[in-house]
């Protein structure tokens, strides 16, 4: 199955991307990396004898890979065309998940159902990894409490300077 996966991955990579790297995973699957599109595709043997699990994800800034965004099971006997179509669909889904919002424009509205499903996926993922999710704050803006502390410290310093000036 490994040799067949490697050959299929080489052919698939040639169809999808001009520039690509194909390598074998430790688990026996094959990964196609497209650095120029910042995406990766993984082909791994699935539960069935003639089935392959196709997973798609992003390549992050440092060159590391993000977890898979989408996955599907495809029969190898369907051919490279069907496999390429599935990969294109998964790649477009993964790209839609992280589409950047232009500055000054609001993000598209989501239905309550899609918000709930994303929230449940996120909580399941955090439970699995054992890490708590980071609370969504306001970013790197200085909060009111920090400003209050800074004003108090500045007041104490001003009072000290004033009192030493009056003694001298």
């Amino acid at each position: 199955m490994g040799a067949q996966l490697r050959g299929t991955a080489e052919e698939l990579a040639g169809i999808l991307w001009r520039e690509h790297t194909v390598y074998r995973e430790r688990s026996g699957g094959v990964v196609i990396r497209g650095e120029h599109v910042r995406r990766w595709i993984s082909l791994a043997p699935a539960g069935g004898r003639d089935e392959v699990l196709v997973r798609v994800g992003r390549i992050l800034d440092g060159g590391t890979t993000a977890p898979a965004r989408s996955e599907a099971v495809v029969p190898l006997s369907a051919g490279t065309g069907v496999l390429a179509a599935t990969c294109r669909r998964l790649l477009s889904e993964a790209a839609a998940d992280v589409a950047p919002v232009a500055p000054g424009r609001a993000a598209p509205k989501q239905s309550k159902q899609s918000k709930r499903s994303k929230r449940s996926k996120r909580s399941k993922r955090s439970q699995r990894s054992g890490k708590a999710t980071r609370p969504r704050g306001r970013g790197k803006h200085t909060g009111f409490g920090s400003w209050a502390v800074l004003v108090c410290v500045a007041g104490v310093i001003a009072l000290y300077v004033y009192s030493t000036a009056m003694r001298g």
Side-chain angles (χ1 to χ4, degrees):
M1 182 76 164
Q4 184 181 6
L5 268 181
R6 176 78 181 198
T8 304
E10 289 284 345
E11 189 177 343
L12 181 64
I15 293 172
L16 294 174
W17 296 322
R18 290 183 320 263
E19 304 168 25
H20 57 271
T21 306
V22 178
Y23 60 91
R24 191 180 66 79
E25 288 182 300
R26 288 184 212 141
S27 62
V30 180
V31 176
I32 307 167
R33 281 178 72 105
E35 296 289 340
H36 64 293
V37 291
R38 303 180 58 79
R39 297 283 183 263
W40 59 265
I41 300 171
S42 170
L43 304 175
R49 199 159 185 59
D50 187 35
E51 294 178 335
V52 63
L53 174 65
V54 180
R55 298 179 343 175
V56 173
R58 295 182 305 141
I59 298 174
L60 302 176
D61 288 336
T64 60
T65 57
R69 288 257 193 224
S70 306
E71 58 183 40
V73 176
V74 180
L76 271 178
S77 60
T80 311
V82 173
L83 195 56
T86 303
C87 288
R88 285 187 184 111
R89 179 179 56 83
L90 294 175
L91 286 166
S92 67
E93 287 175 7
D97 284 348
V98 294
V101 177
R105 293 188 180 192
K109 302 236 182 221
Q110 296 177 345
S111 67
K112 289 181 183 178
Q113 179 63 28
S114 67
K115 285 181 184 176
R116 249 185 260 130
S117 65
K118 284 186 179 180
R119 213 177 298 134
S120 65
K121 286 179 186 174
R122 193 176 304 127
S123 64
K124 286 178 186 174
R125 189 179 307 132
S126 66
Q127 289 171 0
R128 224 179 314 139
S129 66
K131 297 179 183 175
T133 57
R134 191 177 76 199
R136 291 189 179 258
R138 292 180 34 182
K140 294 186 178 186
H141 298 289
T142 306
F144 176 74
S146 299
W147 282 113
V149 169
L150 288 173
V151 168
C152 290
V153 169
V156 169
I157 292 172
L159 185 61
Y160 174 75
V161 169
Y162 177 76
S163 66
T164 55
M166 294 306 277
R167 287 186 193 165

